[in-house]
Amino acid sequence: MNDVLDVALRLLVVFGVFMVLPLVIGQTEHKVMAHMQGRLGPMYAGGFHGWAQLVADGVKFAQKEDVVPANADRRIFQLAPAVALLPYLLVLVAIPIGPGEGAVGEVVDAGIFFVLAVMGVGVLGSLMAGWASANKFSLLGGLRTAAQLLAYELPMLLAAASVAMAAGTVSLPGIVDAFEWWWLPWQIVGALVFFVAGLAELQRPPFDMPVADSEIIFGAYTEYTGLRFALFLLAEYAGIVVLCGLTTVLFLGGWHGPFGAEGLGWVWTLLKTAVLAFIVIWLRVSYPRLREDQLQKLAWTTLVPLALAQIALTGIVKVVIQ
Amino acid sequence: MPEPTVRTVPTALAADYFQSYSVVGLLAVIGVLFVAVAFAAGRLLRPVVPTPEKLLTYECGVDPVGEGWAHTQVRYYVYAFLYVIFAVDSIFLFPWATVFAAPGYGATTLVEMFIFLGFLTVGLLYAYKKGVLTWT
């Protein structure tokens, strides 16, 4: 009975995190962008600093008419947002935020494997949306999304493999357990490759060619309104949480910090994740969009060779210190 | 009696292994329920007033020309081949990564790794030389 209660509690917490953190990041993005770009819109709703903007957005999404275009493939069109969103929920369960069994949703043995595999499923939602909309812009957007995943999944995989080599395990808590501070300079190239590739997979600026508003409206999500559109947005922010969390766990030492790693380890994890999420928002404000061919070129001629070099470096250092 | 103990160990391991994934499965069920509830609640909350114009495909406000499922030239199918080849290769890195530095391996596995990386690099260079990595 105790086990059942324990599992239920863990699932509840994971689900709660999944509901809260993406919204926190969304709200932060409103405010940070408003300050960085002098935008007045997001600072208005509710009075002080526009605190009610997110609530207003939610109300709007919930009571907006749900339009399915007459030409669309109805069933697929309606299911696509769920396929895009749910993989990120499943990934969250495997990310440890503190030492010990108590601070992770569930210890999955092949953690890195599981996480990378499940994250890749999300792109199917965008492809489904792009195809089922029966809209030329959507189709182009969906295909661009797929091309982006093809290009950036590989450097991400290789960078993650480098950490697995360093730690000698593919379990996420195991990797953080093995972490030492000097991994930071040792794995820095891998960390950058992983983070950049992750950004590209989430289609965040400067890698937002699949949703480039100036040429294909909003890519695969052009025909979506109301709640289903909101779920796609939620998927994007949940993706930011997952990417930043994973980068923290794999490369930045998770719960390790200069002090207080015993009781307050989870604070370090959350803090590092938050800083990375801020960088994600910052990049959106500061960089122009890369062209489609530049995107592919960056992945294949820069990130993949860098990741391979990192693997070589990891291998040599690991064998030498053994 | 030693025999039952011997027999229970593998079963226990398998049970542990599947337990972690059954928790993941439960979470998936919760996720599906969440989406179902959200869609059902959305149906109750929102208005439904379809008009032919609303249901038209949206292409910048002008009437759509031709079909949505039009023929497009997929320019990156070679990238797709490359990806499949490389990704399958790099999956093999993970099991190797967990043991390569274990006592008794060391230098041997390191040489193996460079052979492996060499194959990948040569493949990438070949693709680059063939002009596959530039947009046509």
Side-chain angles (χ1 to χ4, degrees), chain A residues 18 22 61 66 76-88 121-133 138 145 202-204 211 218-240, chain B residues 34-35 39:
Chain A
F18 177 70
F61 281 134
D66 187 50
I76 305 289
F77 182 88
Q78 290 179 323
L79 274 181
V83 177
L85 179 65
L86 292 184
Y88 294 118
V121 175
V123 73
L124 285 183
S126 299
L127 262 180
M128 283 164 71
W131 181 253
S133 295
S138 299
T145 308
L202 296 178
Q203 304 159 33
R204 290 286 302 181
V211 294
F218 203 53
Y221 322 122
T222 301
E223 294 286 2
Y224 283 87
T225 59
L227 188 68
R228 292 197 159 81
F229 184 71
L231 289 192
F232 273 122
L233 283 189
L234 188 63
E236 181 179 336
Y237 290 106
I240 296 178
Chain B
F34 160 69
V35 171
F39 283 173

Side-chain angles (χ1 to χ4, degrees), chain A residues 23-314:
Chain A
L23 294 185
V24 170
I25 289 182
Q27 177 81 344
T28 315
E29 182 171 67
H30 281 148
K31 299 310 159 214
V32 171
M33 282 180 73
H35 279 288
M36 285 183 172
Q37 302 186 319
R39 294 183 177 204
L40 295 181
M43 305 296 272
Y44 182 77
F48 175 73
H49 248 247
W51 63 270
Q53 182 62 45
L54 203 64
V55 182
D57 281 350
V59 171
K60 179 197 152 191
F61 281 134
Q63 50 91 59
K64 196 169 175 179
E65 187 175 355
D66 187 50
V67 178
V68 181
N71 286 335
D73 187 339
R74 203 177 170 81
R75 190 63 58 79
I76 305 289
F77 182 88
Q78 290 179 323
L79 274 181
V83 177
L85 179 65
L86 292 184
Y88 294 118
L89 171 65
L90 293 188
V91 170
L92 273 185
V93 82
I95 299 181
I97 69 162
E101 286 239 341
V104 53
E106 178 65 38
V107 180
V108 180
D109 271 344
I112 290 194
F113 235 70
F114 170 78
V115 160
L116 290 176
V118 174
M119 269 177 88
V121 175
V123 73
L124 285 183
S126 299
L127 262 180
M128 283 164 71
W131 181 253
S133 295
N135 178 323
K136 297 181 203 72
F137 297 112
S138 299
L139 184 57
L140 281 176
L143 290 179
R144 283 183 183 184
T145 308
Q148 204 148 306
L149 179 94
L150 290 182
Y152 286 89
E153 184 73 16
L154 187 60
M156 201 170 179
L157 213 70
L158 292 173
S162 158
V163 186
M165 284 164 65
T169 169
V170 286
S171 134
L172 292 176
I175 286 171
V176 191
D177 267 333
F179 183 84
E180 307 279 349
W181 68 267
W182 49 268
W183 285 27
L184 222 47
W186 182 28
Q187 300 289 338
I188 185 74
V189 175
L192 287 175
V193 168
F194 187 86
F195 193 61
V196 170
L199 270 185
E201 276 195 21
L202 296 178
Q203 304 159 33
R204 290 286 302 181
F207 306 103
D208 59 341
M209 202 63 193
V211 294
D213 52 340
S214 50
E215 36 188 286
I216 51 173
I217 312 179
F218 203 53
Y221 322 122
T222 301
E223 294 286 2
Y224 283 87
T225 59
L227 188 68
R228 292 197 159 81
F229 184 71
L231 289 192
F232 273 122
L233 283 189
L234 188 63
E236 181 179 336
Y237 290 106
I240 296 178
V241 173
V242 165
L243 170 70
C244 297
L246 275 182
T247 312
T248 302
V249 165
L250 293 180
F251 295 97
L252 302 183
W255 59 77
H256 295 286
F259 54 87
E262 285 310 304
L264 292 174
W266 57 275
V267 177
W268 282 114
T269 309
L270 287 183
L271 202 66
K272 289 169 186 172
T273 307
V275 169
L276 286 175
F278 177 79
I279 292 174
V280 170
I281 298 168
W282 195 0
L283 288 173
R284 171 170 179 183
V285 179
S286 8
Y287 279 97
R289 181 179 295 140
L290 286 175
R291 217 173 48 216
E292 188 65 21
D293 60 326
Q294 292 170 333
L295 275 174
Q296 296 287 335
K297 205 170 170 205
L298 176 71
W300 289 101
T301 61
T302 311
L303 294 187
V304 172
L306 278 180
L308 289 177
Q310 172 70 69
I311 286 183
L313 177 72
T314 308

Side-chain angles (χ1 to χ4, degrees), chain A residues 63-66 68-70 89 106-108 131 134-136 143 150 153-154 157 165 168 223 227 300 315 322, chain B residues 20-21 23 27 38 46-47 49 54-55 57-59 65 68-69 76 79 83 86 90 97-98 100-101 110 135:
Chain A
Q63 50 91 59
K64 196 169 175 179
E65 187 175 355
D66 187 50
V68 181
L89 171 65
E106 178 65 38
V107 180
V108 180
W131 181 253
N135 178 323
K136 297 181 203 72
L143 290 179
L150 290 182
E153 184 73 16
L154 187 60
L157 213 70
M165 284 164 65
E223 294 286 2
L227 188 68
W300 289 101
Q322 204 65 44
Chain B
S20 63
Y21 285 101
V23 171
L27 189 63
R46 67 186 179 229
V49 198
K54 267 186 208 167
L55 298 183
T57 303
Y58 178 76
E59 292 183 356
V65 181
W69 288 312
Y76 50 80
Y79 288 111
Y83 168 69
F86 277 81
S90 43
T98 57
F100 84 104
L110 199 62
W135 207 254

Side-chain angles (χ1 to χ4, degrees), chain B:
Chain B
M1 295 222 295
E3 279 161 26
T5 25
V6 173
R7 225 174 269 142
T8 50
V9 171
T11 339
L13 275 178
D16 269 359
Y17 183 80
F18 284 115
Q19 200 222 327
S20 63
Y21 285 101
S22 57
V23 171
V24 172
L26 274 179
L27 189 63
V29 172
I30 292 180
V32 170
L33 280 179
F34 160 69
V35 171
V37 168
F39 283 173
R43 187 165 296 187
L44 296 176
L45 283 172
R46 67 186 179 229
V48 183
V49 198
T51 64
E53 283 76 25
K54 267 186 208 167
L55 298 183
L56 212 57
T57 303
Y58 178 76
E59 292 183 356
C60 300
V62 291
D63 287 346
V65 181
E67 258 202 16
W69 288 312
H71 283 273
T72 46
Q73 188 194 357
V74 180
R75 286 164 182 258
Y76 50 80
Y77 69 97
V78 190
Y79 288 111
F81 285 138
L82 268 183
Y83 168 69
V84 171
I85 296 166
F86 277 81
V88 170
D89 277 351
S90 43
I91 286 296
F92 292 126
L93 271 175
F94 284 92
W96 170 82
T98 57
V99 294
F100 84 104
Y105 290 100
T108 323
T109 42
L110 199 62
V111 171
E112 278 175 9
M113 180 200 72
F114 274 104
I115 294 173
F116 182 80
L117 287 184
F119 272 118
L120 287 186
T121 315
V122 168
L124 198 62
L125 280 176
Y126 180 72
Y128 183 75
K129 193 125 186 296
K130 277 273 175 185
V132 171
L133 300 183
T134 45
W135 207 254
T136 46

Side-chain angles (χ1 to χ4, degrees), chain A residues 8-20:
Chain A
L9 201 66
R10 278 162 192 267
L11 292 180
L12 202 69
V13 170
V14 170
F15 187 70
V17 167
F18 177 70
M19 287 285 95
V20 173

